[in-house]
Amino acid sequence: MVELLLELYSEEIPPQLQIEARSQLKQFIENSFKENHLKYKDLTAYSSPTRLTLYVKNLSEKIKIDAKEIKGPKVGSPDQVLQGFIKSKSISEKDLIEKETEKGKFFFIKTQPQVILTEELLKKIVPKAIGSINWKRSMRWSDYNLMWGRPLRSIFARFNNNKLLFKFDHLETNDEVIIEQDLIVKTKKIKNFAEYLAFLKSHEIIVDHEERKKIILKKINSVAKSKQYKEHLNPKLLEEVVNIVEDPNLLLVNFNKEYLKIPQEIIISTLEKNQRYFPIFDSRDRLTNYFFVIANKKDEKKLITVGNKRVVEARLADAKFFWDKDRSKNLIKQIGNLKSITFYEKLGTIYDKTQRLRQLAGLLSDDLNINKEKVQIAASISKSDLCSDLVGEYPELQGVMGKYFAIAQGFDEDVANSVSDHYLPTGLTSALPKKPFSYSISIVDKIDTLVGFFVIDEKPTSSKDPFALRRAAIGLLRVIIENKLSFKLRDLINYAIRLYDEQGVEIKNKKTEHEVLDFIKERMRNVLKLKNTKADIIEASVSSHAGDNFLDLYSKTILMNKYKHKGIGLNAISSYKRAANILEKADKGITGRPDAVLFRKDEEKILHEKINEIRKAFTVKDDNKDYESLLIKLSDTKESTDNFFDNVVVNDENKDIKNNRLELLKMFCNTFDNFIDFSKLEGL
């Protein structure tokens, strides 16, 4: 058993490209080894900014393939089929054997036992693996044709203590590792993985990204404990920083305390997004004027520390200037300036959008019983901060800055909060707006966006969603569900269509209302999957849902998922199953309208009464429906259905009585399907 060591040395690769390339290379090699029956003990991919490394431990030197019979086409198949089989197996017609099987006579071939050298396989697999990496952005260097994330300089490949010889584009493999530091280039012939790691480490290069991560966390933890700081690390930033450095060194840097007077979101954004530094919080979760820098070198002369302090303070000085300037600008007066900012070419400006939001928020306020005037003010100023220099400099802080401007100008706290919160949620699990004004503006903003792009017929496709409409729909559902909101969504959608029409937007899609509701309904699948709902229950609920009450849909589905394998659910499903099985064999003309005059048995009358009782419960307004009680009522029909089937012969000799009993069972199943489509539940 031997080892394979591969290193792809290039110019510095950005973190995300590096992470994806590492994963793709590992996956391709694993799949190829599995296809070729190559056995190994361990396969690991590592990376640093300039190195993509693959190490395979205890790889077999050769593969033994036993003789076996391979079944081909049926005797008598068209000659084209037979010739295709012969060509695919690289054989001649004389190698074919005819054999009788249970399904007739087939052609077979018998392969010979083989021994394949792993080295020969690797010469084919590894170049394909390197070429399989799908770079989102790539470069071509000099006059070579090779496209790579960043110019590929060298390929080190070694197997079984020897150089693994192959060519990839213009590069030939070698057994020397290159190190370039401070304009000095060093190379060394490497024999194995242990020697490879030792050589890199002697030059302060740690190729194992997980080891670099542990070093960073350990150093931060040590300083945080000694200074009584709270560990408050952004995981995405940590992942990025890990893949920027080769030898992580922790620096503790500070900035002038005066800058703590500006909103902390500006400081955090400056540190994290602009500089990739870690802000530091004290034990009471307050932002301090200190931050962590992960440097690629030791800072014995404190030059890196001083340089980083200077850069951060310069950025914060600009931010403070913009903050002092922008917070005094009247948000109401800024609304007019939104006419110069385009929402989307075919949908008008941000000013046009705020006018629509104002009208939609007014309509929604009636359903949610909130102050109409205040919610319309909130809608009107919701986008005003887009005119500010601060948001121009920090676009990720849109809404957040608007909230601070609103507070500074004396707006009510709930109105100010709605300016920042209406952008929420930003993902499947991110924070939600919880206050009435905040979630009201969030709802109308998302509806306006969805309706707008459907109106002009620029809907998402299966592979593309350039305007993030799926995210908007999922966000809308989460706001509705988690705040337990019931309102006339269809009316809001139709009003939004009318507002676009009044503003002169061409209504290209006449089915907008129907398609938007269907689009939102389909996104419910994502929301329900996140709640670990069974696939058959999701299908049974979503496919059968009609209307615009998605809180109703969610509530029923979650309850069914909770009780499906418990007494309540099992009883309901069992009752439905018995009726549905009989109806499967019945004529298609059964509609579910029995005539009580034709009932001959008490069990028929009792079941009919039970069904009518449930149907009456379904007519209660959605706001007052108790879905758990409804499911219990469905479950309680088991005794009635059992008595019915035990004492009533459905296939009566009298055709009218038989059909009437089938109509009763159809009525029974239709009533159940008002809850969800029970026929789509597994096991029926």
Side-chain angles (χ1 to χ4, degrees):
M1 304 295 273
V2 293
E3 69 177 26
L4 167 68
L5 178 58
L6 172 73
E7 183 201 75
L8 306 170
Y9 179 68
S10 67
E11 300 296 335
E12 287 195 15
I13 299 174
Q16 196 53 46
L17 292 184
Q18 191 189 135
I19 292 165
E20 289 168 5
R22 186 172 72 215
S23 173
Q24 289 178 46
L25 179 67
K26 184 175 186 286
Q27 191 66 56
F28 188 96
I29 295 288
E30 282 177 341
N31 292 342
S32 298
F33 282 7
K34 188 176 181 180
E35 286 170 15
N36 290 279
H37 309 289
L38 269 169
K39 294 180 180 177
Y40 58 91
K41 184 179 179 181
D42 191 35
L43 190 157
T44 315
Y46 307 98
S47 72
S48 73
T50 58
R51 299 170 203 276
L52 187 54
T53 303
L54 183 88
Y55 173 59
V56 186
K57 188 178 180 182
N58 289 359
L59 185 60
S60 53
E61 291 184 59
K62 51 192 173 186
I63 308 166
K64 291 181 182 178
I65 302 176
D66 297 330
K68 62 179 177 180
E69 281 189 341
I70 299 175
K71 186 181 177 183
K74 195 171 187 177
V75 174
S77 296
D79 187 60
Q80 188 179 357
V81 175
L82 184 61
Q83 292 304 319
F85 176 70
I86 289 169
K87 188 177 180 181
S88 68
K89 301 301 177 186
S90 303
I91 57 168
S92 62
E93 280 194 44
K94 65 181 181 180
D95 296 318
L96 294 171
I97 305 165
E98 291 185 23
K99 283 184 72 174
E100 193 71 45
T101 71
E102 292 177 359
K103 296 183 179 179
K105 194 177 278 188
F106 283 80
F107 287 111
F108 284 80
I109 60 168
K110 192 169 185 178
T111 64
Q112 297 299 314
Q114 286 179 282
V115 175
I116 300 174
L117 294 176
T118 300
E119 184 173 353
E120 295 307 310
L121 267 177
L122 291 175
K123 288 178 182 178
K124 297 175 183 177
I125 291 171
V126 176
K128 283 182 183 177
I130 300 170
S132 74
I133 298 172
N134 181 25
W135 301 97
K136 286 185 179 176
R137 293 183 298 278
S138 55
M139 293 181 174
R140 191 171 65 194
W141 178 55
S142 187
D143 55 354
Y144 299 117
N145 293 321
L146 173 61
M147 297 295 289
W148 191 257
R150 292 295 182 269
L152 185 60
R153 303 275 299 281
S154 169
I155 301 174
F156 169 94
R158 201 168 170 84
F159 173 73
N160 196 11
N161 295 321
N162 292 304
K163 179 164 63 173
L164 182 67
L165 289 167
F166 64 84
K167 193 171 181 181
F168 182 71
D169 207 273
H170 65 282
L171 293 169
E172 288 186 6
T173 55
N174 61 69
D175 56 0
E176 289 186 337
V177 170
I178 302 171
I179 287 180
E180 294 180 89
Q181 290 177 333
D182 300 324
L183 302 178
I184 298 171
V185 180
K186 294 179 183 177
T187 60
K188 183 180 179 181
K189 286 198 173 187
I190 298 295
K191 294 178 183 176
N192 53 48
F193 186 58
E195 191 176 307
Y196 171 74
L197 290 181
F199 177 60
L200 292 181
K201 204 161 190 177
S202 68
H203 289 84
E204 298 178 327
I205 297 171
I206 299 166
V207 76
D208 183 348
H209 49 280
E210 289 298 334
E211 186 181 343
R212 295 198 301 272
K213 188 174 184 177
K214 286 176 186 174
I215 290 169
I216 292 170
L217 289 173
K218 187 178 178 182
K219 288 181 176 180
I220 287 176
N221 179 261
S222 176
V223 175
K225 276 187 176 179
S226 65
K227 301 277 188 181
Q228 292 188 319
Y229 294 145
K230 190 168 185 178
E231 286 192 53
H232 202 296
L233 301 182
N234 180 330
K236 286 185 179 178
L237 177 61
L238 177 63
E239 195 68 28
E240 189 176 5
V241 168
V242 164
N243 292 286
I244 289 173
V245 295
E246 291 182 322
D247 177 35
N249 290 275
L250 184 71
L251 308 179
L252 181 62
V253 189
N254 71 342
F255 57 83
N256 192 317
K257 273 188 176 181
E258 280 297 306
Y259 294 119
L260 290 174
K261 293 177 182 177
I262 64 177
Q264 70 172 28
E265 288 87 349
I266 298 174
I267 300 171
I268 292 169
S269 187
T270 297
L271 295 173
E272 290 188 344
K273 293 190 178 296
N274 296 126
Q275 301 300 126
R276 297 191 181 100
Y277 302 155
F278 295 96
I280 295 174
F281 297 80
D282 65 19
S283 58
R284 292 167 64 185
D285 219 15
R286 296 174 303 186
L287 183 68
T288 71
N289 65 317
Y290 284 85
F291 57 94
F292 288 126
V293 176
I294 309 299
N296 210 27
K297 289 182 177 181
K298 291 182 174 64
D299 189 24
E300 292 167 356
K301 295 182 179 179
K302 301 294 181 185
L303 296 175
I304 300 174
T305 300
V306 171
N308 283 306
K309 176 184 172 77
R310 188 182 299 124
V311 168
V312 167
E313 288 192 337
R315 280 192 170 275
L316 292 180
D318 289 343
K320 186 177 183 302
F321 171 77
F322 291 136
W323 163 246
D324 292 337
K325 177 183 172 187
D326 290 335
R327 65 177 167 169
S328 61
K329 291 179 181 176
N330 188 296
L331 286 175
I332 298 292
K333 290 181 180 178
Q334 290 292 90
I335 295 171
N337 294 331
L338 294 172
K339 292 177 180 177
S340 63
I341 304 175
T342 302
F343 169 49
Y344 185 64
E345 186 181 1
K346 298 175 186 176
L347 297 175
T349 65
I350 296 292
Y351 173 82
D352 297 327
K353 184 177 178 69
T354 57
Q355 299 313 296
R356 294 191 300 271
L357 295 186
R358 188 174 182 279
Q359 297 301 320
L360 288 168
L363 179 63
L364 182 60
S365 68
D366 293 335
D367 279 349
L368 299 184
N369 196 26
I370 58 176
N371 186 293
K372 184 173 184 175
E373 185 182 355
K374 280 176 69 174
V375 81
Q376 287 191 315
I377 290 171
S380 298
I381 66 168
S382 62
K383 309 290 182 182
S384 290
D385 64 341
L386 296 179
C387 299
S388 68
D389 293 320
L390 251 177
V391 172
E393 188 73 18
Y394 297 89
E396 68 277 8
L397 295 183
Q398 62 179 337
V400 174
M401 287 299 98
K403 169 188 169 180
Y404 280 108
F405 298 154
I407 290 170
Q409 292 172 30
F411 284 91
D412 286 352
E413 187 180 351
D414 46 8
V415 171
N417 285 333
S418 72
V419 178
S420 61
D421 292 351
H422 83 276
Y423 288 102
L424 302 175
T426 56
L428 267 172
T429 58
S430 60
L432 279 166
K434 289 290 186 182
K435 299 291 175 114
F437 288 93
S438 295
Y439 58 61
S440 297
I441 309 302
S442 177
I443 288 167
V444 297
D445 186 37
K446 289 167 178 59
I447 288 172
D448 177 80
T449 298
L450 286 165
V451 168
F453 287 102
F454 273 79
V455 154
I456 60 173
D457 216 18
E458 295 198 20
K459 301 167 285 189
T461 63
S462 57
S463 59
K464 292 183 179 178
D465 184 13
F467 308 113
L469 300 186
R470 289 188 181 91
R471 187 173 69 186
I474 290 170
L476 175 63
L477 285 171
R478 286 193 61 211
V479 171
I480 291 170
I481 290 162
E482 296 183 43
N483 287 298
K484 295 182 171 55
L485 302 176
S486 290
F487 56 88
K488 300 181 185 73
L489 179 57
R490 192 187 300 274
D491 288 355
L492 274 175
I493 290 170
N494 281 316
Y495 191 33
I497 297 168
R498 197 175 102 198
L499 291 171
Y500 273 109
D501 189 34
E502 288 173 359
Q503 287 184 349
V505 173
E506 184 184 355
I507 310 297
K508 291 185 177 180
N509 180 7
K510 302 299 181 186
K511 297 179 180 177
T512 294
E513 177 211 311
H514 173 72
E515 289 184 0
V516 168
L517 281 171
D518 268 0
F519 183 75
I520 295 169
K521 183 175 78 172
E522 284 303 305
R523 304 287 76 74
M524 181 63 88
R525 296 178 189 274
N526 303 76
V527 175
L528 291 168
K529 279 177 188 173
L530 204 67
K531 300 294 182 181
N532 298 316
T533 310
K534 300 285 190 301
D536 62 318
I537 297 175
I538 293 175
E539 180 60 29
S541 298
V542 174
S543 64
S544 63
H545 183 74
D548 62 350
N549 191 326
F550 293 109
L551 180 61
D552 169 73
L553 169 59
Y554 177 82
S555 302
K556 291 190 293 186
T557 312
I558 294 299
L559 274 170
M560 197 67 230
N561 194 61
K562 177 182 177 182
Y563 287 119
K564 184 186 175 186
H565 297 293
K566 295 177 182 177
I568 293 172
L570 291 172
N571 287 344
I573 293 169
S574 172
S575 299
Y576 183 92
K577 180 179 181 180
R578 294 189 74 176
N581 286 344
I582 291 173
L583 287 169
E584 270 185 21
K585 301 165 189 172
D587 294 335
K588 300 292 181 186
I590 305 298
T591 59
R593 294 174 184 170
D595 186 348
V597 174
L598 292 172
F599 292 153
R600 294 291 180 266
K601 296 259 188 177
D602 287 342
E603 288 81 7
E604 291 176 275
K605 297 173 185 175
I606 291 168
L607 184 58
H608 189 245
E609 287 170 6
K610 197 80 175 172
I611 295 169
N612 280 324
E613 182 188 327
I614 296 168
R615 288 164 75 89
K616 187 178 179 182
F618 271 115
T619 62
V620 173
K621 286 186 178 180
D622 290 339
D623 292 353
N624 300 318
K625 270 183 189 167
D626 181 345
Y627 288 104
E628 190 157 16
S629 294
L630 265 173
L631 185 55
I632 290 169
K633 284 182 184 293
L634 296 178
S635 174
D636 287 346
T637 61
K638 189 172 190 307
E639 183 180 350
S640 302
T641 51
D642 286 349
N643 288 336
F644 176 88
F645 289 114
D646 289 345
N647 298 292
V648 177
V649 177
V650 175
N651 294 320
D652 194 90
E653 291 178 2
N654 184 312
K655 189 178 179 182
D656 289 338
I657 292 174
K658 172 188 171 181
N659 285 340
N660 198 58
R661 286 170 180 171
L662 289 171
E663 293 285 1
L664 179 62
L665 293 179
K666 183 65 174 177
M667 180 186 183
F668 177 83
C669 288
N670 288 345
T671 303
F672 271 58
D673 288 338
N674 280 328
F675 195 82
I676 64 171
D677 186 348
F678 275 74
S679 69
K680 286 187 165 66
L681 295 177
E682 287 179 2
L684 295 182

